[in-house]
Amino acid sequence: MSSTNPVPDLEAGIQYWATQPANYDGVLGGFGTGSLPRVDSLGSRRFLLDLLPELSTVPSPFRSVSVSPSETRRIRALDVGAGVGRVTSDVLLPLVSDVVLLEPVESFINEARSRGKASESGLEINDSGYRVLWKGIADRSKSVTFFKGSLQSFDPVEPGIPLDRVGCLPQDGDDDTKSKFDVIWCQWCLGHLNDDELVQFLERSKKALRDARSLIVVKENICREQNAIFDEQDSTFTRSDLAFKNIFRDAGLKIIQEKIQHGLPEGLYPVKMYALRETSHALQ
Ligand code: SAH
């Protein structure tokens, strides 16, 4: 791509989102109240459970009754470009123990925080049709830690100082903010990065994966054109399947599962989920 072609601009992207309402409709471009949030989050949970069946909270007849300590360890996920915490609340908290949430836009992270706080106090204020109480927060069995920042500057290995945390606290004052992740979830936000920034973010994320089963999940709109389409309104790229695949390869990541999200309203870009592992670990 020649240097004269437009590329995403960090500030322009943040400015765009700051004009949008801090709710599901805002982060989903007006699709917050129809079937999309439910179809999307069920598709995401199913995708994740197929890859990591051990995250299932439903007892399996095939699993042994005696549970070893390694099976009971806390599962950690990172939700980047998290908006108002939709993926945290509807996909990740139902399946994992601790979520770290990254979002740069003030009004969005404030909304996510206040939903987390409301969950902590057990207040169900269901005025907008989505589940208000975040799973495991009122009984403090799970946690969400909030970081304000952009993907361009965030390092999942060294996340810095959190803004806040709700739910359970690390045991014995232990600091778990530098612990690695079992799942890093990137949804509808990677278009804000140019190709170099995206490769670098994925390389940093790869170093923050806990072990050989850990995953990076990318769930994004896909264009049918050769490479990418630039959208001036929010200063983003919509990339093609091939463009994503080239970027994953450059970041040293291997695709272990890819799937189209079916059931979304017509007229939208196709949405695709990719599960990625470090190339040397992609044994499955
Ligand atoms: N992933 C969420 C939100 C999608 S909306 C969901 O699926 O519900 C896109 C989000 O990306 C917004 O919250 C926006 O503020 C955030 N964003 C924009 N630029 C970003 C950047 N440079 N780094 C991280 N997040 C960014």
Side-chain angles (χ1 to χ4, degrees):
M1 194 181 293
S2 102
S3 58
T4 53
N5 283 339
V7 290
D9 175 72
L10 170 61
E11 286 308 320
I14 289 175
Q15 270 171 31
Y16 166 79
W17 285 107
T19 66
Q20 300 303 302
N23 55 29
Y24 276 27
D25 246 354
V27 294
L28 296 174
F31 284 91
T33 46
S35 62
L36 185 144
R38 195 170 161 76
V39 170
D40 170 67
S41 60
L42 286 177
S44 297
R45 269 147 72 173
R46 192 160 173 188
F47 186 70
L48 205 48
L49 278 172
D50 278 348
L51 290 151
L52 300 175
E54 62 270 32
L55 300 187
S56 175
T57 47
V58 180
S60 160
F62 305 113
R63 219 176 327 165
S64 100
V65 185
S66 64
V67 180
S68 76
S70 67
E71 286 174 87
T72 59
R73 70 172 171 77
R74 298 186 73 81
I75 306 288
R76 283 169 56 79
L78 171 64
D79 177 10
V80 300
V84 297
R86 188 185 66 86
V87 173
T88 288
S89 131
D90 301 351
V91 179
L92 299 173
L93 277 177
L95 298 176
V96 310
S97 345
D98 299 290
V99 179
V100 169
L101 181 158
L102 174 76
E103 167 58 40
V105 169
E106 185 94 19
S107 56
F108 287 0
I109 197 160
N110 282 345
E111 171 66 13
R113 250 173 111 185
S114 60
R115 286 185 64 200
K117 294 282 182 205
S119 302
E120 213 169 33
S121 54
L123 295 172
E124 179 101 38
I125 328 154
N126 199 350
D127 55 2
S128 34
Y130 55 80
R131 190 172 71 203
V132 173
L133 283 185
W134 288 1
K135 188 174 177 193
I137 300 301
D139 66 9
R140 287 176 165 70
S141 58
K142 303 188 178 218
S143 77
V144 179
T145 307
F146 302 86
F147 286 89
K148 184 166 185 285
S150 69
L151 286 153
Q152 284 87 338
S153 55
F154 188 74
D155 183 350
V157 178
E158 291 278 345
I161 314 268
L163 196 66
D164 208 346
R165 176 170 178 143
V166 295
C168 81
L169 293 172
Q171 300 234 307
D172 309 324
D174 227 14
D175 178 16
D176 65 352
T177 52
K178 284 194 180 172
S179 303
K180 294 191 167 184
F181 295 101
D182 301 281
V183 177
I184 298 183
W185 196 278
C186 315
Q187 182 161 359
W188 284 325
C189 60
L190 298 183
H192 284 286
L193 279 66
N194 66 38
D195 288 359
D196 288 344
E197 289 168 339
L198 181 49
V199 170
Q200 286 161 21
F201 171 73
L202 291 172
E203 283 174 340
R204 292 196 299 276
S205 296
K206 196 173 71 172
K207 293 196 185 114
L209 293 178
R210 191 203 295 264
D211 59 31
R213 288 187 61 69
S214 309
L215 297 167
I216 298 173
V217 177
V218 167
K219 187 166 188 178
E220 289 289 343
N221 294 346
I222 299 294
C223 75
R224 293 197 172 83
E225 283 71 7
Q226 265 276 308
N227 190 34
I229 301 171
F230 184 74
D231 183 340
E232 282 193 15
Q233 193 189 25
D234 59 357
S235 191
T236 54
F237 275 151
T238 301
R239 294 183 166 90
S240 65
D241 183 56
L242 184 64
F244 271 116
K245 287 179 173 164
N246 288 336
I247 282 170
F248 299 153
R249 187 204 52 222
D250 290 351
L253 291 165
K254 178 139 181 156
I255 301 172
I256 55 156
Q257 192 88 264
E258 49 187 308
K259 196 170 194 292
I260 294 279
Q261 173 66 62
H262 293 293
L264 297 177
E266 276 180 33
L268 300 179
Y269 281 115
V271 173
K272 198 160 175 188
M273 296 176 270
Y274 303 91
L276 311 165
R277 279 197 183 125
E278 195 170 347
T279 305
S280 57
H281 282 155
L283 306 169
Q284 208 186 45

